[in-house]
Amino acid sequence: MKRKGIISAVSGLAAGVLVAAVFFADFNKEEKASSAADNKSKAEKVYVPYGEYDDYYMLASGGHSGQLFVYGVPSMRKIRTVPVFTPDPATGYGYDENTKKMLGGYTWGDFHHPAVSETKGDYDGEFLFANDVGNNRVAAVDLSTFHTADIMSLPNMGGPHAGVFVTENTEYIALPTRFARPLGGKYAELDKYKEEYKGVVSMAKFDRDKKKFNLAYQIMLPPWSYDLSDAGKKMSGDWIVMTTYNTEFATTNLEINASQNDRDYIVLINWKKLEGEVAKGNYKEIEGVKMVDPRDYKGAIYAIPVSKSPHGVDVTPDGKRFIAAGKLAPLMTVFSFEKAFEAIEKEDYSDEKFGIPVLPYKKVMEREVDPPGALGPLHTQFDDKGNAYNTMFISSEVVKWKVDTGEVIDRKPSYFSPGHSSAAEGDTVDPDGKWLVALNKIAKDNFLSVGPSHPESMDLFDISGEEMEHIMAAPVDPEPHYAQIVHKDKIKPKKLYEKDEKRKNAVWSKEDAHIERKGNEVHVYGVALRSKFVFDAKSDRPDAVTVNQGDRVFFHMTNIDLDQDITHGFGINDYNLNFEVQPGQTNTLEFVADQAGTFPIYCTNFCSALHQEMSGYLLVKPKE
Amino acid sequence: MKKNLSVASMISLIIAAVLIVISIFIPWWGMKFFAPQYPEGLDIIVYPTTLDGDIEVVNGLNHYIGMKEFSNQSFPELAYMPYIVISFAVLTLLVAFLRKKSFLFGLIILYVIGGIVGLLDMYRWLKKFGTELDPKAPIDLDPFVPPIIGENTIANFVTNSYFTYGGYLLGIVFILMIFPLWKDRKK
């Protein structure tokens, strides 16, 4: 009886434990935890919920649109188009007084390589610089307003393709030329190419307070074509590296004739030394620019052979090495600054080209990396773990490899033909190793068709793991060249323009709006506020302006709505004019009222429920 | 003269006088407006000497319903408030040093009257601004009187009016004035 009781009690307990185990125990716990992380879907990785922000700004070149495209990463949502070299009616860029002057009559530019201002080799997020290959200019975009702050023309240049790259502390914004050209834009026969044509590097300075460029000096170089460049960091901080092609001095059919030499060059320039020479007065003045020939100063310029027709050259985050790849001889070469400096020290030159000492390839090179079947290596980006990422234009892929050993870790296809790529903070001293965007030149049938010309595209890769993961592709307007991915905390945009009572042409209250006549000039000191224009407070119709045909009219408008996102536009019917004033901003529109008649003026940028009513008249009295 | 307030009472009144002076530099009252397009809210902050906060933005919005513009000029009281406040502080100090109960009663009565007048004045302004709306305003709104404390809804704006630090300080001042009455009550 007693034993029976014990047995039934034990079996009862056992059954209870079993039942409990079946119903409540979770034998898959370990497995579930890891698979949940693996299964985090691609959509989740890029999903930024309402009310939250992306982690990064991607500041992407707009190519021959002349614009800057601002994307959020990882969502890949396009946030804004910022006009830089091209007029933009939507924002009035190129129509108002200041921006019209800045554009200087040009209606396009070829925006290639954005560069964010740096401090100690890291993005400081204050300004972005960009080159215009089309019309030889450099621009600065103020990242507190995302407005173009200054544009400077660069004489003696033939398309500054190999810029913009900034030195470690933005001492200089360097822009090497792509096409050789006679200095001063003079005429010279192509038969005299070698003698008369020059390659030039523009060394621009930027005053952050005045937001103004100044062309400090230019460097005269052989008539090679300069393709891309980068500035050194840390130990190599005084140096600039540039790739060349057309060391053949071909003047026609470059596709063939500039692809004959087995080696082209990387040109090393010591900007610090040249800065010193310019300071000593060692320069010639050409077209109003201080021009130095680095061959005149020992230690200022060297060349290193590189596999033929190289494109990108990128300095590693530690500043000790630089990586270049020949797009026609498909391998990446890791070069060492230390070794180069050693060869320079020992005056160990293998050759001299055009008066430039050539350092021996074998002695400066650390290793060659040649992933089988990988064709057309163009650019290198970096992560935080010592890895490099190369885009392969011809084989359409991204290759991840270890800089220290050359070991290839991973290869992933991209869709299609990636040119540049950009990793999160991937060209600073401190890359984040989170995302990489391959900027593709072709998209083929990735998106809904929009006719014969497909959009270009951008592939987003998660590079935080050992292997890269392709997350998504996004279409983009033509044509991406380069981008910089900057952490959102580094950029501090303004919400309003500060009210500045002393600002020129500004009027801060409705009562003060007035019109002044100076001969045939009419200056309107007006205000825009929700939901009206006031041009002349004392007039019966404060929102109408009467001028005589042929008058030069100035609308100095101040937006006195000091309220977030209340931008007012100002379009004049039939006059082909529109500009905008952002909250707290004063802006001037200047034109000649050559057409007589009655022209409605209206607010073009939606501002309030009564936006439609925000209007007035320009009356132009005909000449008798 | 017979002094019938204790040292403790005198100190209490001196502190009260100091707090009155301090209150000039901190806001007394405020109003915060929320709407879908202003999720972070718009502020009107009233110091005894000046208006602060998003006054220009609020004015910009108020013109839609035809409300007059807020500015320091539209509240003449703000110009002489500092004198009134300083006078009260001086008066309180006087009572503290004279240490006479009858004077203290006088001070308290004055303070209470001052407070009531102040509140009535505020109510008068709120009523004036909320009811004397421009008939030509784009948006027709029934006249309204925002409360001195509490929530109110005007069009798509939810407003919260409240007393803040300076107001609280004046409350503490009142307690400090009452304290001697308890301290020196007849045994």
Side-chain angles (χ1 to χ4, degrees):
Chain A
M1 181 68 203
K2 208 177 189 183
R3 185 190 281 176
K4 222 178 180 178
I6 291 168
I7 290 170
S8 63
V10 169
S11 56
L13 264 176
V17 168
L18 185 66
V19 168
V22 166
F23 281 99
F24 302 110
D26 186 354
F27 297 115
N28 298 325
K29 210 168 194 171
E30 198 98 325
E31 205 178 308
K32 239 187 196 164
S34 64
S35 70
D38 291 346
N39 284 344
K40 187 170 186 201
S41 72
K42 292 179 177 180
E44 273 182 296
K45 281 193 174 180
V46 297
Y47 180 64
V48 178
Y50 179 72
E52 289 178 24
Y53 299 121
D54 277 297
D55 289 330
Y56 293 94
Y57 286 90
M58 179 162 77
L59 304 164
S61 66
H64 43 284
S65 77
Q67 297 164 329
L68 167 72
F69 301 146
V70 184
Y71 281 82
V73 171
S75 76
M76 301 303 282
R77 289 183 296 209
K78 190 182 187 185
I79 298 168
R80 174 51 63 90
T81 298
V82 180
V84 178
F85 296 116
T86 303
D88 176 37
T91 54
Y93 184 80
Y95 296 82
D96 65 65
E97 174 80 343
N98 287 332
T99 57
K100 195 161 71 179
K101 209 177 278 167
M102 224 158 43
L103 284 176
Y106 291 101
T107 57
W108 78 291
D110 196 356
F111 180 131
H112 270 244
H113 307 124
V116 172
S117 55
E118 292 181 12
T119 302
K120 291 183 181 165
D122 204 357
Y123 301 144
D124 57 38
E126 288 192 10
F127 291 91
L128 175 135
F129 306 105
N131 54 337
D132 167 17
V133 179
N135 293 309
N136 300 310
R137 290 175 294 172
V138 57
V141 176
D142 183 343
L143 293 179
S144 71
T145 56
F146 284 78
H147 273 185
T148 305
D150 193 24
I151 295 178
M152 177 171 68
S153 281
L154 307 167
N156 304 319
M157 302 282 289
H161 183 279
V164 172
F165 292 91
V166 300
T167 53
E168 222 175 358
N169 292 300
T170 323
E171 293 95 342
Y172 288 96
I173 297 124
L175 301 109
T177 192
R178 174 175 170 191
F179 303 103
R181 217 179 167 184
L183 295 182
K186 279 199 215 83
Y187 167 83
E189 283 170 37
L190 280 164
D191 286 340
K192 293 193 176 147
Y193 187 82
K194 245 172 133 170
E195 303 79 42
E196 296 288 326
Y197 285 60
K198 306 284 177 219
V200 168
V201 183
S202 290
M203 300 295 280
K205 274 195 164 294
F206 186 73
D207 183 325
R208 296 195 196 207
D209 294 329
K210 291 184 185 134
K211 299 179 188 176
K212 273 270 165 221
F213 279 114
N214 160 37
L215 185 48
Y217 61 95
Q218 287 185 324
I219 306 168
M220 187 162 48
L221 292 175
W224 297 335
S225 290
Y226 300 88
D227 199 26
L228 273 166
S229 61
D230 200 1
K233 301 177 173 91
K234 298 179 178 175
M235 68 163 303
S236 55
D238 295 349
W239 295 80
I240 288 171
V241 286
M242 306 183 289
T243 54
T244 61
Y245 62 98
N246 196 16
T247 48
E248 295 86 349
F249 302 116
T251 53
T252 183
N253 195 10
L254 261 59
E255 180 190 35
I256 303 294
N257 295 331
S259 305
Q260 295 304 307
N261 288 351
D262 201 36
R263 295 281 181 196
D264 284 304
Y265 296 103
I266 285 174
V267 175
L268 253 75
I269 289 180
N270 188 326
W271 61 264
K272 198 95 188 177
K273 186 164 251 87
L274 291 178
E275 181 185 59
E277 297 299 339
V278 171
K280 279 185 241 160
N282 292 334
Y283 58 81
K284 265 187 232 150
E285 190 132 329
I286 298 179
E287 289 290 298
V289 187
K290 295 167 184 168
M291 182 74 74
V292 280
D293 189 334
R295 293 172 298 183
D296 296 345
Y297 309 103
K298 196 166 177 265
I301 185 166
Y302 300 93
I304 303 168
V306 64
S307 45
K308 78 178 184 189
S309 297
H311 197 49
V313 53
D314 298 277
V315 176
T316 54
D318 59 11
K320 288 185 181 161
R321 288 175 278 207
F322 53 99
I323 295 162
K327 63 178 185 267
L328 300 179
L331 48 84
M332 285 87 78
T333 307
V334 180
F335 294 94
S336 160
F337 273 115
E338 276 162 343
K339 289 185 172 187
F341 296 162
E342 212 179 287
I344 291 168
E345 187 81 19
K346 291 185 189 149
E347 303 195 7
D348 184 358
Y349 310 139
S350 63
D351 199 355
E352 197 189 271
K353 282 276 179 237
F354 227 87
I356 300 169
V358 179
L359 306 178
Y361 176 76
K362 289 268 181 225
K363 289 193 179 160
V364 178
M365 175 271 278
E366 250 176 40
R367 69 183 55 82
E368 290 175 343
V369 181
D370 188 6
L375 296 174
L378 291 188
H379 296 279
T380 315
Q381 287 280 290
F382 302 97
D383 69 10
D384 54 339
K385 298 175 200 76
N387 298 310
Y389 298 80
N390 271 85
T391 43
M392 298 289 167
F393 183 79
I394 298 170
S395 57
S396 282
E397 61 180 324
V398 179
V399 177
K400 174 181 179 177
W401 54 283
K402 224 170 186 49
V403 177
D404 280 339
T405 60
E407 176 202 354
V408 174
I409 296 167
D410 188 23
R411 295 168 67 166
K412 285 280 173 341
S414 69
Y415 316 84
F416 300 78
S417 304
H420 278 271
S421 68
S422 178
E425 310 244 331
D427 59 8
T428 68
V429 289
D430 186 21
D432 284 2
K434 294 232 162 54
W435 303 101
L436 179 107
V437 176
L439 303 157
N440 306 332
K441 302 294 196 186
I442 297 170
K444 290 279 167 69
D445 46 6
N446 253 326
F447 307 100
L448 284 176
S449 173
V450 287
S453 177
H454 298 270
E456 275 69 68
S457 72
M458 306 186 291
D459 282 307
L460 177 72
F461 292 89
D462 179 350
I463 56 165
S464 58
E466 180 72 359
E467 288 193 1
M468 297 176 277
E469 190 187 1
H470 183 267
I471 304 292
M472 73 178 293
V476 57
D477 279 331
E479 171 204 342
H481 286 275
Y482 188 42
Q484 296 210 306
I485 301 180
V486 186
H487 196 273
K488 66 166 187 283
D489 293 347
K490 286 190 177 160
I491 294 182
K492 297 188 172 56
K494 271 185 196 171
K495 292 204 164 169
L496 303 170
Y497 282 84
E498 295 89 15
K499 180 172 177 175
D500 173 5
E501 302 271 3
K502 283 186 221 135
R503 190 190 297 152
K504 202 181 150 212
N505 298 331
V507 170
W508 290 104
S509 79
K510 284 175 271 186
E511 291 73 34
D512 294 340
H514 65 284
I515 298 174
E516 286 174 24
R517 284 179 178 278
K518 296 168 191 162
N520 68 341
E521 279 187 8
V522 180
H523 290 263
V524 179
Y525 297 90
V527 295
L529 71 159
R530 276 167 297 178
S531 316
K532 58 173 161 268
F533 295 112
V534 183
F535 303 131
D536 185 358
K538 292 189 184 72
S539 164
D540 291 340
R541 293 192 182 85
D543 45 14
V545 174
T546 306
V547 302
N548 299 317
Q549 188 175 6
D551 279 349
R552 183 170 286 276
V553 183
F554 297 77
F555 276 99
H556 307 287
M557 298 300 296
T558 303
N559 180 347
I560 59 170
D561 273 321
L562 295 172
D563 195 356
Q564 199 172 322
D565 202 21
I566 306 297
T567 298
H568 294 298
F570 189 102
I572 307 181
N573 222 191
D574 260 355
Y575 252 93
N576 192 31
L577 288 170
N578 180 34
F579 80 132
E580 72 172 22
V581 268
Q582 297 191 354
Q585 194 186 18
T586 303
N587 211 347
T588 296
L589 182 71
E590 181 198 331
F591 62 98
V592 177
D594 45 14
Q595 193 185 347
T598 306
F599 306 94
I601 295 172
Y602 70 104
C603 176
T604 48
N605 197 321
F606 187 88
C607 60
S608 77
L610 295 170
H611 159 74
Q612 197 71 2
E613 284 79 0
M614 185 167 172
S615 62
Y617 278 99
L618 169 71
L619 300 143
V620 184
K621 273 193 213 162
K623 266 188 192 141
E624 291 303 313
Chain B
M1 194 158 48
K2 190 175 164 247
K3 289 178 178 165
N4 48 14
L5 288 180
S6 61
V7 174
S9 295
M10 178 176 80
I11 291 169
S12 176
L13 289 174
I14 290 171
I15 295 170
V18 171
L19 292 186
I20 291 172
V21 174
I22 290 172
S23 81
I24 296 180
F25 305 101
I26 47 185
W28 284 15
W29 186 81
M31 210 182 214
K32 206 166 169 84
F33 301 64
F34 295 94
Q37 70 271 39
Y38 293 99
E40 70 282 359
L42 293 171
D43 268 317
I44 293 182
I45 300 164
V46 181
Y47 287 75
T49 53
T50 182
L51 297 178
D52 198 13
D54 306 299
I55 303 298
E56 299 203 26
V57 178
V58 172
N59 280 336
L61 294 168
N62 280 349
H63 101 275
Y64 286 117
I65 58 168
M67 195 187 270
K68 279 202 201 77
E69 284 200 359
F70 298 140
S71 72
N72 286 342
Q73 289 73 42
S74 54
F75 302 101
E77 290 90 333
L78 295 176
Y80 42 81
M81 267 312 268
Y83 302 107
I84 297 175
V85 174
I86 295 283
S87 308
F88 254 108
V90 170
L91 221 56
T92 309
L93 269 185
L94 264 175
V95 173
F97 289 119
L98 296 175
R99 287 163 64 182
K100 232 170 121 54
K101 214 169 206 176
S102 54
F103 288 0
L104 179 64
F105 277 122
L107 177 72
I108 292 170
I109 290 166
L110 258 178
Y111 192 77
V112 170
I113 291 173
I116 291 169
V117 168
L119 287 174
L120 285 175
D121 188 50
M122 260 186 86
Y123 179 79
R124 181 175 70 93
W125 280 120
L126 289 171
K127 189 171 170 188
K128 193 174 163 65
F129 271 84
T131 54
E132 294 178 11
L133 299 173
D134 185 345
K136 286 174 77 181
I139 297 173
D140 246 338
L141 209 66
D142 286 335
F144 61 93
V145 183
I148 290 176
I149 300 182
E151 199 179 282
N152 187 29
T153 304
I154 309 160
N156 62 334
F157 278 88
V158 176
T159 68
N160 277 293
S161 21
Y162 56 90
F163 278 103
T164 182
Y165 313 108
Y168 304 153
L169 223 50
L170 295 179
I172 294 168
V173 166
F174 185 63
I175 293 167
L176 289 172
M177 284 181 180
I178 301 281
F179 168 78
L181 295 184
W182 170 81
K183 176 77 185 167
D184 300 319
R185 65 193 181 280
K186 283 194 182 105
K187 301 257 160 75

